[in-house]
Amino acid sequence: MPWLVSGDRVFASVEVAGSARRRARGLLGRDGVDGALWLPRTRAVHTLGMRFAVDVAYCDADGRVLAIVTMRPWRLGRPRLRARSVVEAQAGNMQRWEITVGTTLEVKE
């Protein structure tokens, strides 16, 4: 199982949405998420049709967090031009995990 980590800190299990179809589906149709969802090759997200609020961390090519926003259902996110991936988690988890702007995230097996 892959894990969302930063250095030696392990935050949560993580699903990687590697295909275009999987990125398009994201967390739609779920009532929540255990862990996180990593969306590579993504600069913007939306919560149209979602049933719960999410924390969204926009990351650059090195996995460094550029911005973190909390999005309620039925919102359109603003594209982050420097972002190369996005990490989504249940609202409140980024703060609980102490992930901040500047934290470098990665997926480890």
Side-chain angles (χ1 to χ4, degrees):
M1 169 178 295
W3 297 95
L4 181 65
V5 303
S6 179
D8 61 353
R9 294 174 59 204
V10 177
F11 300 113
S13 61
V14 64
E15 298 174 45
V16 178
S19 69
R21 171 178 242 156
R22 183 70 184 96
R23 284 191 307 275
R25 178 156 177 84
L27 296 173
L28 293 174
R30 299 187 192 189
D31 292 321
V33 60
D34 291 326
L37 176 66
W38 187 290
L39 299 138
R41 299 178 304 280
T42 303
R43 293 183 175 169
V45 296
H46 67 82
T47 58
L48 301 175
M50 293 202 35
R51 300 176 184 157
F52 59 97
V54 292
D55 286 341
V56 180
Y58 295 89
C59 301
D60 68 11
D62 297 321
R64 190 175 60 244
V65 176
L66 303 170
I68 299 172
V69 298
T70 300
M71 294 178 63
R72 295 181 311 190
W74 297 97
R75 301 290 185 258
L76 292 174
R78 194 169 55 99
R80 307 293 169 138
L81 298 181
R82 291 181 29 228
R84 295 296 177 267
S85 63
V86 168
V87 178
E88 295 180 341
Q90 193 96 21
N93 280 350
M94 296 293 175
Q95 182 177 11
R96 191 178 59 192
W97 296 334
E98 298 179 358
I99 294 173
T100 60
V101 171
T103 301
T104 300
L105 300 174
E106 61 182 317
V107 174
K108 291 247 175 130
E109 293 286 333

